[in-house]
Amino acid sequence: MVIARDMAASPILVGREDLLALGTRRLDEAAAGHGELLLLAGEAGIGKTRLLTAISAHAAQSGFVVVRASAFRGDAEDSGSLLLDLASDMREGESDNSRAVRDAIRQRVRNPGTTDDPRRARRMLVRDLVDTFTELDRDCRSLFVLEDLHWADDLSLEVFEHIAARLGNRATLVVAAYRSDELYPRSAIREWRQRLISQRLAEELRLRRLTREQTATLTSSILGRTAPTQLVAAIYDRSDGIPLHMEELLGAVADVSLDRLETIAVPDTLSDAVLARAAALDAATHEIAATGAVIGRRFDFDLLTAIADQPEDEVARCLLELQSAHLVVGRPEADAFDFRHAVIRDALYAVVPLPRRRELHRRVAAAAAERAYGDAFVSLHFDQANCKAEAYSRARRAGGQATLVSAHREALELYRRALRNVPEDIDVDEHARLLAAFGRAAAAVDDNDTAATAYAQAHELWTVAGDRLSAAAIVPPLVAVRHLLGDDLQSRTGRIEAALRTLDDLPACREQAQLYGALSAAYMLSRRLDESIEHGERCVACSDEVGDEPTRINADATLGSDFLFAGRMDEGWGRLEHAINRALAIHDEAEAARSYRMLSTSASVLVEYERAKTWLASGIAHAEKAEWWNHRSYMNAHLAHVQWATGDWSLAADTAEQALADGRGGITTRITAEYVLGYLAMGRASWAEAIERLSSSLLQGESMNELQRIAPPLWGLAETALTRGEFESAVGLSERGFAASQEVDDAAYLFPFLVTGARARIAVDDVDGAAQWVKRVADVLTFRGIPGPLPAIAHANALLDLANGDAAAALERFSEARRAWHERDRFWEGSWAALDEARCLLALNQSGDARSIAELVKARASGVGALTLINAADDMLREASAPVERWRPLTAREFEVAMLVASGLTNREIAAELVLAPKTVSAHVEHILAKLGASRRTEIAAWAARIKDDPRISP
């Protein structure tokens, strides 16, 4: 008996029963009007397509309209390619609505439209496509099946991200598959997936490799009988449990008699298996396979025939042979074909000799250009053919087209291809403009190393060419990305000032205004407020003179932030909101994104959390739509900070991790996300992680030498030392924080050190030092007058009162601090202030009230996993339940005097009773009144009556 060649594909689905069952449940839910996006993730060959096929079959039987599409290698550079593929699967025989949707998608993707603002054009395009797709389930249930999303273009991904947000009340299920081993850092699909999952807009299923037992089942199903153990072992070992590899390896030995299976030689690699199968093809079919592999994973009949130099009938025959060999599958369109898997295409492509490969690429490019294929596709093949002039012109044009619709990742790869093929005689200005465009695309996707290099090269070309204005204009974006890479203030301002000097002999111009704006921003980021305001006002004057509103908006946003940190609150908030509104009004999405960032992150720092939440939500949404990824990632990191500060710790952890994953290109995002994760670890008593995160953040911050990067992780380390009982270390770290803020007269980043430093000094019995510390820091906070940090003053002074034995005064101030922190929604300090208040109540023998407060703190801390606070609350509860000396907070002698006062004796009578001088008794009574917070003798009597009924008080 011989295994038939078509048995290389397993007739059953093995090891995926649970996933298929879940997929069918999701179909049933979609049929009831509760759709969703279901993600299938797994490495190449793991069986995603088989599972998709099984889900599709169930959907078709259940009355769903099933529409399938695939992305292909190179599609990322061809905007909307996945959407067009999806549209092509909407059959002519479907409903009028389906045909209308198909035609609308094709028309809109191929004619995206242009405006003066490419980001606005992109938003309109996405909105129209989303609206179009959601029309498909108006008359019936719909299943969208998307394959190989790791190769998808940005536009298609963005459209389906928006569709996902609408699926909850629609009769549509979207099932999308991608390779988990292609989720590289900073890849479009990785960030897309992370956003969907973190926002709970998608559910992900992971396909695992098959076990040895499942391998035996699959092998036996292909063979049609129980597989020999030796063969199963060989297949399992060579395939690594990947179903496609198993099928290909078995296909390579498909002509061996079943009686001799246990002695066969299984190929060592999948590539060997594919090539072994291809070796059985006749020469003409083998050549067609190689030609198709050069075109790509997908190819159509007409293009293949045009470059194959074979009659149509012969090409058709070869394609049938390739389908019979399970190397190629037909697409729904009669003239389109796919290789069954990308690794099959890659194996066949790799063995095409280089000269032949280049010749075929040249033919593909020429034929595709003649048939009006997109510039991105044509440029790819000219590039592979080493036809540099044609590859350059096509890639340059395609990059511009991608930029017009804010497809920055696509533009980046196309500009990179253009640069790879730059003509030797290229005009210097054109070369510099290409580099500048390449840099802008890289900066937009947060690839700051690449952007900085491109900007620097463009600057050098324009400088050598003597084009002073163009050279100056590239300096602000260059300095901006250099800041994200960690350049310090001196190096950045040095670049800007050097550029300004080159324009000294020119009248006021836009480039000068931009450079003044860049100087203002550089000083603002280092909290050098006076210098920033000075240069910002120069920028305003210059931009007004030359009529440059975007630069004026930029300056207004910088100045607004300056005013906030200088304590000019109304002026600062007003200027920032005005900058956002003006930028939106003139459709300048870059300046709008920056202004959102400045306002929202300032609110995050200044303990204005409600304002921060509002503007962060708007800013992040805007930055995502406009594809300004660094702004989005940085605002996401600050959103995590706000979530930590307000006690939403679970969300804070997810958001910070997301920002860290998305923001690898920006050091400021990394610093912020890491110190937030450090704060969380500190609050959860994960000391090693806290110190590691905070130290890493501080090290990066110190490399930038900016207060806003240094102070937050430094405070985290100080607070960690304090909560661990390392008081001397906490004192030293607090002094470092004060010194850093003092350099720029800062109050905003100083305030948390006030309470931390006071506690640490009191803990080492340096109450005088604590008082001096409180005065030093409080003077700075009061001078700036920023409202958010001010509760720290009452909190620190309350600590001093308690340390000095004045529990009544401390209680009043702790209550004030607790209320103020609560109004500001500052969870950490608010919780500690509450526990401090409970400590005062204990000192005043009001144990019941102390227990109530400690229980409230513990309940909320338990809800967020704040183990540090839970432990402190437990200590308080134990203390509140333990017996105490009945005279606390009084001394034993004062307690005796108080009891006699309560019995109605006068000072002279008490003196006689205790054999004391009347003057001494009078002093005791004054101390008692002060410690109890009382003003009359009757209040002493009331206190004495209350403690008699307290079971905790020892006799």
Side-chain angles (χ1 to χ4, degrees), residues 462-463 466-473 499 501-506 511:
W462 275 319
T463 300
D467 187 344
R468 290 186 289 168
L469 291 177
S470 295
R501 287 194 293 272
T502 68
L503 307 180
D504 278 347
D505 60 334
L506 299 179
E511 289 76 13

Side-chain angles (χ1 to χ4, degrees), residues 178-193:
Y178 48 82
R179 293 184 187 172
S180 54
D181 48 342
E182 301 242 5
L183 295 178
Y184 303 116
R186 301 165 52 74
S187 63
I189 181 65
R190 179 190 178 102
E191 296 180 359
W192 180 83
R193 168 194 170 273

